[in-house]
């Protein structure tokens, strides 16, 4: 039994993370931190991204299928898919395969009709629209910070700082996570990637 527990802890160290998505005035910021080489954010269309949670293999299978559906949809409609459409595709895939697959998603992006949006696709296929959301092993440590500091109409710079601070706080408390903070900004103008090394993240307590 002791050997089994040790192996579980070792596995946790390689996969722990926090994923975050927040709407600001004109776009969304998607953030996560990474200790391993596993990418927790997958681009499913030009301005639509998914943060993955749960089984990595299941999530990769679902996002691969979602990419195909959205690409086909884009060709049919002769226009980019809406963020809601992407979230609905993921919801349907999760629901139809709920007995076999264990994966959930934060879907975030920008489209011409509704602008910046964030959706949560929970395990089993429940779909919720939110302005800000978090998930992952480190998320339990920062709910208070998110509730206290998030403002719907933040500027891009304010939202980037908000997301960076949230990830830094989670990294400081979650002993199975850490590494480099990755931020993706999605607006009408396009997609911007920001990487913040661990030694450049803000500190809020002695570490």
């Amino acid at each position: 039994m002791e050997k089994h527990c040790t192996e579980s802890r070792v596995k946790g160290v390689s996969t722990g993370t926090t994923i975050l998505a927040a709407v600001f005035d004109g776009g969304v910021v998607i953030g996560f931190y990474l200790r391993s080489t596993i990418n927790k954010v997958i681009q499913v269309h030009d301005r639509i991204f998914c943060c993955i949670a749960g089984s990595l293999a299941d999530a990769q299978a679902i996002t691969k299928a979602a990419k195909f559906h959205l690409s086909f949809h884009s060709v049919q409609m002769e226009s980019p898919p809406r963020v809601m459409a992407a979230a609905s595709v993921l919801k349907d895939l999760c629901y139809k395969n709920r007995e076999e697959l264990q994966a959930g998603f934060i879907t975030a992006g920008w489209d011409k009709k509704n602008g910046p949006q964030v959706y949560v696709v929970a395990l089993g296929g429940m779909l919720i629209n939110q302005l800000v959301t978090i998930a992952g092993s480190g998320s339990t440590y920062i709910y208070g910070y998110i509730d206290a500091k998030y403002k719907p109409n933040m500027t891009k710079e304010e939202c980037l700082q908000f997301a960076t601070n949230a990830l830094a706080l989670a990294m400081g408390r979650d002993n199975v996570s850490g590494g480099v903070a990755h931020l993706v900004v999605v607006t009408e103008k396009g997609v911007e990637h920001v990487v913040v090394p661990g030694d450049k993240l803000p500190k809020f307590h002695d570490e």
Side-chain angles (χ1 to χ4, degrees):
M1 180 64 68
E2 292 181 1
K3 182 178 179 182
H4 173 73
C5 291
T6 301
E7 289 173 350
S8 297
R9 286 196 296 271
V10 170
K11 183 178 180 181
V13 168
S14 65
T15 59
T17 193
T18 293
I19 53 178
L20 173 151
V23 174
F24 65 88
D25 185 15
V28 296
V29 169
I30 304 155
F32 71 107
Y33 56 73
L34 198 59
R35 176 172 286 166
S36 67
T37 58
I38 300 169
N39 190 356
K40 297 289 184 176
V41 174
I42 297 174
Q43 188 171 13
V44 293
H45 210 269
D46 292 347
R47 287 181 174 80
I48 306 174
F49 289 78
C50 290
C51 305
I52 62 176
S55 166
L56 178 64
D58 290 353
Q60 288 176 332
I62 291 173
T63 52
K64 184 177 181 179
K67 282 183 180 181
F68 173 80
H69 281 285
L70 293 172
S71 178
F72 185 68
H73 174 79
S74 180
V75 171
Q76 279 189 315
M77 301 300 293
E78 297 183 346
S79 65
R82 296 175 186 169
V83 182
M84 178 63 180
S88 296
V89 167
L90 289 164
K91 178 202 72 172
D92 291 343
L93 288 168
C94 287
Y95 180 75
K96 289 175 182 177
N97 298 283
R98 63 190 181 279
E99 301 297 332
E100 292 80 25
L101 302 178
Q102 290 294 316
F105 303 89
I106 296 172
T107 305
W110 183 96
D111 63 51
K112 287 185 177 180
K113 179 169 183 175
N114 296 311
Q117 300 147 75
V118 172
Y119 297 91
V120 177
V121 181
L123 296 175
M126 183 174 66
L127 178 62
I128 306 170
N129 179 212
Q130 296 186 313
L131 291 175
V132 61
T133 190
I134 54 175
S137 62
S139 63
T140 56
Y141 300 96
I142 58 172
Y143 276 104
Y145 176 83
I146 299 298
D147 290 342
K149 297 297 184 180
Y150 176 74
K151 297 180 295 182
N153 296 314
M154 287 188 286
T155 65
K156 170 187 165 183
E157 290 72 23
E158 288 174 332
C159 197
L160 278 170
Q161 190 62 60
F162 163 78
T164 302
N165 289 349
L167 293 176
L169 284 165
M171 291 166 108
R173 296 298 184 186
D174 183 16
N175 64 1
V176 298
S177 300
V180 177
H182 293 254
L183 300 165
V184 181
V185 183
V186 187
T187 65
E188 181 179 5
K189 295 180 180 179
V191 176
E192 177 186 355
H193 294 266
V194 179
V195 177
V196 184
D199 60 353
K200 301 296 183 182
L201 288 168
K203 294 183 183 297
F204 298 91
H205 54 84
D206 292 334
E207 294 178 333

